[in-house]
Amino acid sequence: MRRRTGLVATFGATTLVVAAGTFIVSTVASAAAESRPFPFHVTYQVGVLPSASAAARDAAVRKQYDSWKATYLVHGCASNEYYVSTKGDGDAPNDGTVSEAQGYGMNIVPLMAGYDTNAKTEFDGLWQLVKNHRDGQGMMQWQLDGQTCRYADSGTPDGATDGDLDIGYGLVLADKQWGGYTADALGWLGKFYAANVTSDGHLKCEDDGPTTDSRPSDWMLDHLRAFAAYDAAHDWNKVITKTQNLIQEFTAKYSPSANLLSDFIVSANTTAPNPAPANYQENQPDNIVGYNSIRVPWHMGTDALLYGNPVSLAVARHESASYKNHSGGDPKNVYPHTNLDGTPHSTSDVAEEAGDSVGPSAMAAGDQGFTDAIWNYLATNPFGDHYFGETIKMIVYIVMAGDYWSPTAGPGPAPSPTPPPPPTKYEAENATLSQATVATNHTGFSGTGFADYANVSGSWAQWTVNATAAGTATLTFRYANGTTTNRPMAIAVNGTTVAAAQAFNGTTNWDTWASVSLTVTLTAGSNTIRATANTANGGPNVDYLQVS
Ligand code: GCU
């Protein structure tokens, strides 16, 4: 995504074109042999599907495809070329294309093959246009004029990482669907790796850009996993690992509860990535979520659904929960500009794709209600969206319908949607206690007792907790303090104090229990949590520690 201003066009002529351009498909036998003709139902690794029936979901995808194709898939600039028009959004002069749009088309068309009987011809035309408009490093010239079909930006033509990633992924999809694209796909991936992957393994924003920044909307982990399985000549696993590290380092520091990623990040070549300054490359501003990073919940959710990766799944859960919380569960109230704590940055700019993009994360998170709300919302067009919104909707539709197959994995085992794990409760009576004993002399505790801290400073309880993945977690202590004096405790995670004096204020009496929570970062696997009394009064009575 380049140069998006964040302005949303109002209702225009596009919808009329959709009505007039109804596409004729599906009754003719397909010319090319597809290995995975639409609808090719996939069993995702985690989460839930919308409650609508598979037949209803497939029908909704077909309807959206007819509309999208009639409006945005253009047979031009040459007789053997196709391009995806940015009509309505002005991302390229004269309704031309950008590599982002072209990449989307090269993903959508192979996934719809079998329904669209002309898909292979269209895909070949999309790829032909890319081949005819390469920059000096072999990537696609990022912006083309719709009339002249020439590079439309100033200066030497360059690429854009998101579009070039999708073009590569499209070639891998096409190779799986029809065969015959292996050399094209491997050739593209080799050039992409040379142009866009830095020595430490992070993705640059564009092939001629610096090696210190990155754009989280390019972090399409599902694509990278497919490349790792497909292209043994390049170290795609290094890119995956570095990208996941950046996600965890960034969210732990800047968005521990919502797990949001800003539109651009800097210091991507270090272990301390930061939000880019406002208006770093675009006037979004770029230090929060804008029209770039609204795509992150779609990409993270999709990766979690296809591959069950715990890092992506954790982000998907946090982002889905945050967007649900701040929108009241109404996808229309997910705004394109969001602060990193999950609160809307501005409610004056609205766009349908902001809510649509959360769909795959809601599914991965196992949130049936929010999944259904977003699924139903896809069938509406409340803000009159054009190229960008309608194209994102197209792909989100395919994912949410359960038709987004992996080009490198089998269709997966029988359906077994997994809900998110419930919070895990660790009783204090099972913890390691120092200058504290297990007691039962008050009511209302859970389990078989609670920890009664001796009235000395330095008394402690320590739990060993397990985390399925590295990342943020919420620690909740249930406690009672029958006095009116705070009994602060130091909370340490793996030996590092994360809260020097966490307050445990009075709860009226020793039979009344209350909870305090704090957000911490856990490593994958075993972690120790220690709560040490800070004052001569000792700690409160502690019933349990809950980790969620
Ligand atoms: C009382 C109470 C205990 C509590 C203690 C304290 O003795 O019954 O449960 O631990 O006060 O002050 O810590």
Side-chain angles (χ1 to χ4, degrees):
M1 163 75 57
R2 306 278 292 261
R3 311 264 154 78
R4 183 165 292 272
T5 59
L7 296 177
V8 173
T10 50
F11 180 81
T14 307
T15 309
L16 302 177
V17 176
V18 177
T22 306
F23 208 77
I24 303 131
V25 275
S26 84
T27 48
V28 188
S30 178
E34 301 91 7
S35 73
R36 300 183 163 208
F38 181 90
F40 191 82
H41 294 150
V42 188
T43 301
Y44 294 132
Q45 303 294 316
V46 296
V48 295
L49 290 164
S51 300
S53 70
R57 296 196 305 265
D58 295 340
V61 174
R62 289 189 192 99
K63 183 170 178 223
Q64 172 67 13
Y65 184 67
D66 291 346
S67 163
W68 176 84
K69 178 176 166 176
T71 313
Y72 302 107
L73 187 61
V74 178
H75 189 176
C77 301
S79 60
N80 64 345
E81 292 179 352
Y82 278 76
Y83 66 90
V84 174
S85 167
T86 60
K87 196 184 290 183
D89 282 334
D91 289 1
N94 298 311
D95 294 342
T97 194
V98 290
S99 57
E100 163 203 277
Q102 200 72 2
Y104 287 151
M106 289 175 68
N107 285 196
I108 293 166
V109 168
L111 290 166
M112 295 306 296
Y115 171 62
D116 182 348
T117 55
N118 198 38
K120 189 168 190 307
T121 300
E122 292 151 8
F123 182 84
D124 288 341
L126 290 163
W127 173 225
Q128 188 63 46
L129 182 128
V130 173
K131 285 190 281 188
N132 290 345
H133 295 88
R134 292 182 188 250
D135 71 7
Q137 302 196 61
M139 298 288 93
M140 180 176 162
Q141 298 177 8
W142 82 271
Q143 186 190 48
L144 300 179
D145 185 303
Q147 253 165 29
T148 65
C149 296
R150 286 169 191 258
Y151 184 63
D153 200 6
S154 57
T156 308
D158 66 346
T161 301
D162 54 352
D164 291 332
L165 271 169
D166 274 330
I167 290 166
Y169 191 67
L171 289 164
V172 176
L173 284 173
D175 204 26
K176 185 75 180 183
Q177 184 68 287
W178 297 295
Y181 295 88
T182 309
D184 285 339
L186 291 176
W188 182 269
L189 293 180
K191 288 189 171 68
F192 178 95
Y193 199 97
N196 290 308
V197 176
T198 65
S199 58
D200 59 82
H202 81 261
L203 292 166
K204 295 161 62 177
C205 296
E206 56 273 316
D207 51 4
D208 61 349
T211 56
T212 52
D213 62 4
S214 196
R215 183 172 35 209
S217 55
D218 300 348
W219 298 352
M220 305 167 191
L221 286 162
D222 75 301
H223 291 19
L224 298 175
R225 277 182 233 288
F227 298 163
Y230 187 89
D231 172 23
H234 301 93
D235 192 354
W236 293 102
N237 286 317
K238 180 166 90 169
V239 188
I240 293 167
T241 301
K242 174 65 179 174
T243 302
Q244 292 181 166
N245 288 347
L246 288 172
I247 290 169
Q248 294 185 312
E249 289 152 2
F250 185 97
T251 55
K253 180 143 189 215
Y254 296 104
S255 188
S257 65
N259 274 200
L260 296 171
L261 300 161
S262 53
D263 265 16
F264 291 87
I265 67 159
V266 292
S267 301
N269 55 325
T270 73
T271 56
N274 302 286
N279 306 333
Y280 175 69
Q281 279 207 19
E282 304 174 6
N283 59 347
Q284 296 244 13
D286 296 339
N287 55 347
I288 59 165
V289 176
Y291 279 92
N292 289 296
S293 278
I294 57 168
R295 293 171 288 183
V296 168
W298 151 33
H299 292 147
M300 293 297 151
T302 300
D303 184 55
L305 290 168
L306 275 192
Y307 301 104
N309 177 263
V311 174
S312 303
L313 182 56
V315 174
R317 283 180 178 147
H318 282 88
E319 292 205 1
S320 174
S322 173
Y323 280 123
K324 184 183 186 183
N325 177 24
H326 293 287
S327 68
D330 182 349
K332 197 154 40 138
N333 297 332
V334 175
Y335 296 98
H337 293 98
T338 303
N339 299 316
L340 295 182
D341 65 0
T343 55
H345 179 73
S346 150
T347 55
S348 56
D349 184 34
V350 292
E352 187 193 344
E353 62 266 28
D356 290 346
S357 292
V358 184
S361 273
M363 288 170 66
D367 189 331
Q368 190 70 62
F370 203 28
T371 295
D372 287 342
I374 297 170
W375 173 261
N376 293 332
Y377 175 70
L378 286 171
T380 70
N381 189 6
F383 306 122
D385 272 333
H386 298 298
Y387 143 71
F388 189 59
E390 288 299 312
T391 305
I392 288 175
K393 178 196 286 188
M394 182 71 249
I395 304 179
V396 167
Y397 246 132
I398 296 171
V399 175
M400 292 192 77
D403 296 324
Y404 191 83
W405 44 268
S406 158
T408 53
S416 56
T418 2
T424 311
K425 198 194 275 187
Y426 297 89
E427 294 288 348
E429 60 268 33
N430 300 327
T432 305
L433 303 178
S434 172
Q435 296 182 284
T437 52
V438 177
T440 57
N441 58 326
H442 298 293
T443 60
F445 55 84
S446 87
T448 56
F450 54 86
D452 178 349
Y453 282 68
N455 300 115
V456 291
S457 179
S459 46
W460 53 258
Q462 177 172 299
W463 294 261
T464 300
V465 307
N466 192 53
T468 50
T472 55
T474 303
L475 303 183
T476 302
F477 295 90
R478 187 168 190 256
Y479 76 100
N481 175 0
T483 74
T484 54
T485 307
N486 178 21
R487 292 201 174 178
M489 296 201 287
I491 311 299
V493 175
N494 297 322
T496 302
T497 300
V498 294
Q502 173 68 51
F504 291 86
N505 291 312
T507 58
T508 313
N509 59 55
W510 294 104
D511 300 318
T512 302
W513 302 84
S515 292
V516 298
S517 295
L518 68 164
T519 304
V520 300
T521 302
L522 300 180
T523 57
S526 178
N527 295 264
T528 59
I529 314 289
R530 184 182 290 196
T532 306
N534 275 350
T535 70
N537 289 331
N541 291 342
V542 176
D543 188 16
Y544 59 72
L545 164 66
Q546 182 173 282
V547 182
S548 56

